[in-house]
Amino acid sequence: MTLIAIEASADCWNFPFPFNASKVQTAEIVVDKGHVAVGFPDIGRAFIVSVDLSEAIELHLPRGDVFAGGPGFGRSVALDGDIVAIGAVRIGSHGAGVEQPAGFFHTGAVYVFDVSSGALLWHAQSDKEKAFGHSVFINADGVSFGIFEAPELDGRMLRLHHVARGAIEMWSREGEPLGLIDGPSDMRGFGAELSGSASLFTIAASADTLNIWMLMPRAGTAIQHASILSTLNRMPAGNLTAEGSTVAVSAGGGFAAADGRTLLMVPGHSPYEIVGGGPLALSEDRLSVLVRSAPEDQPYNQLVVYDITTNGTLAEAAKINHVVGAALEGVTLFAVLAEPGAPVRLCKMTT
């Protein structure tokens, strides 16, 4: 294993924030064709950075946009060639067990920019019945994103979470709506996370079953890829990534690594289970798991990178502290570090 020293300035780039790392808890990152896209939903900012860390562009929303100048922008990120898509989500205030109507409580949008210039090309905005921005994906077929349909409200404005519906909406790369793939009515969270190359993958979890769906955009259909009983210790599955037919999903991740679980599903093998769950990144060679909430004696996030090329086992390739987000390209890791008292940095290292 070779781990380039993150202190080396040639291998890190400082984001132009006028404050230290304390305000940045999350970074969404993807890498593709010579660029890295990074979103910071805590502060509502997003960037395109060249993979050699020599050039960067900040992506700006029009003045007066609902997500301009506030948190939420950067919740999801997708990148493919000449365009980048940034999802935005904002959740309003709510009391115990009582939520505001959908249009106030939860709004979202997807914005598409030109990679080379940073110019905004088009955007799609949530309406009062549907909220999106949690996930976005780009491939040759266009731009796809997950949708949550708000369930009916009863007379006391109590929202029935377990009957929320989900779907995948597909738009052309030029911004024209193409179609919709509906999820089963009982599959809350359908469309929550998108990844993959030729296909899209999404998850739906109940109390004791994890279902992984493979979506075929051109056919407009969804095929169940895997269903595993009592998979993640009854914890909701919140993170999903795919590379070809290899799929990883994680859940949990509280105040100790043991609170979370990650499953790696490789064709021809039984699922690998990893102690510790959180945001994921996957390449053909590596899987990284970010334990976002660390034990009390370790007050920082930790990223664990696994070598998935070994036959029959998983081997740790690297551990990096103070990470808030990461992306993988082969054995190369792009990680955002947010160390207390230091600038927020994007660092490139080989694992």
Side-chain angles (χ1 to χ4, degrees), residues 179-201:
L180 186 75
I181 302 177
D182 274 317
S185 60
D186 61 341
M187 291 300 183
R188 179 175 181 265
F190 191 88
E193 300 288 339
L194 310 178
S195 191
S197 52
S199 305
L200 309 179
F201 288 86

Side-chain angles (χ1 to χ4, degrees), residues 262-266 271-275 285-287 289 305-317:
T262 297
L263 284 180
L264 176 67
M265 284 156 280
V266 181
Y272 300 101
E273 184 166 349
I274 300 168
V275 176
D285 299 302
R286 297 285 188 267
L287 168 71
V289 181
V305 183
Y306 296 90
D307 181 350
I308 65 173
T309 62
T310 56
N311 187 22
T313 186
L314 293 178
E316 286 189 6

Side-chain angles (χ1 to χ4, degrees), residues 10-350:
D11 301 308
C12 292
W13 178 75
N14 293 348
F15 289 96
F17 299 151
F19 49 79
N20 62 27
S22 62
K23 292 187 178 181
V24 175
Q25 304 297 318
T26 302
E28 302 294 334
I29 314 177
V30 293
V31 56
D32 182 75
K33 297 180 176 69
H35 292 93
V36 183
V38 186
F40 293 98
D42 300 317
I43 57 175
R45 297 177 72 171
F47 297 82
I48 292 290
V49 186
S50 62
V51 293
D52 63 2
L53 308 185
S54 64
E55 298 177 321
I57 298 174
E58 182 167 2
L59 303 175
H60 293 285
L61 295 175
R63 188 183 301 272
D65 184 275
V66 65
F67 285 100
F73 180 63
R75 171 60 181 82
S76 58
V77 179
L79 176 64
D80 184 63
D82 59 345
I83 62 173
V84 58
I86 307 292
V89 173
R90 182 168 296 151
I91 299 176
S93 59
H94 58 95
V98 180
E99 299 176 0
Q100 300 295 334
F104 176 84
F105 172 73
H106 193 167
T107 186
V110 172
Y111 302 86
V112 176
F113 299 85
D114 179 86
V115 167
S116 59
S117 67
L120 177 63
L121 302 176
W122 56 270
H123 80 283
Q125 190 81 32
S126 293
D127 60 29
K128 291 185 178 181
E129 302 301 324
K130 298 177 180 178
F132 47 84
H134 285 278
S135 59
V136 64
F137 178 75
I138 305 173
N139 63 8
D141 296 309
V143 180
S144 303
F145 45 88
I147 295 175
F148 294 92
E149 288 191 48
E152 295 295 327
L153 304 176
D154 66 13
R156 295 178 299 159
M157 293 178 61
L158 293 176
R159 191 178 302 284
L160 305 175
H161 284 279
H162 64 282
V163 297
R165 291 190 61 184
I168 298 289
E169 187 156 341
M170 296 172 290
W171 288 46
S172 72
R173 294 169 72 102
E174 294 73 33
E176 295 296 325
L178 296 178
L180 186 75
I181 302 177
D182 274 317
S185 60
D186 61 341
M187 291 300 183
R188 179 175 181 265
F190 191 88
E193 300 288 339
L194 310 178
S195 191
S197 52
S199 305
L200 309 179
F201 288 86
T202 186
I203 55 176
S206 62
D208 59 1
T209 306
L210 174 69
N211 297 294
I212 299 176
W213 296 77
M214 182 169 61
L215 300 140
M216 312 303 293
R218 294 184 181 180
T221 59
I223 302 170
Q224 188 159 306
H225 183 71
S227 181
I228 305 172
L229 293 174
S230 303
T231 299
L232 297 173
N233 294 347
R234 298 183 180 271
M235 293 178 290
N239 302 280
L240 176 77
T241 185
E243 178 68 31
S245 297
T246 299
V247 182
V249 60
S250 72
F255 292 103
D259 291 337
R261 290 291 186 273
T262 297
L263 284 180
L264 176 67
M265 284 156 280
V266 181
H269 294 272
S270 299
Y272 300 101
E273 184 166 349
I274 300 168
V275 176
L280 304 166
L282 180 68
S283 73
E284 65 273 16
D285 299 302
R286 297 285 188 267
L287 168 71
S288 72
V289 181
L290 177 58
V291 182
R292 211 186 277 292
S293 298
E296 293 181 1
D297 59 347
Q298 179 186 299
Y300 49 76
N301 300 334
Q302 184 175 77
L303 185 78
V304 184
V305 183
Y306 296 90
D307 181 350
I308 65 173
T309 62
T310 56
N311 187 22
T313 186
L314 293 178
E316 286 189 6
K319 284 185 177 180
I320 304 118
N321 297 325
H322 304 292
V323 177
V324 294
L328 285 161
E329 188 175 60
V331 299
T332 302
L333 175 71
F334 295 88
V336 173
L337 277 68
E339 300 171 274
V344 180
R345 299 178 288 168
L346 174 64
C347 295
K348 177 182 179 181
M349 55 197 80
T350 301

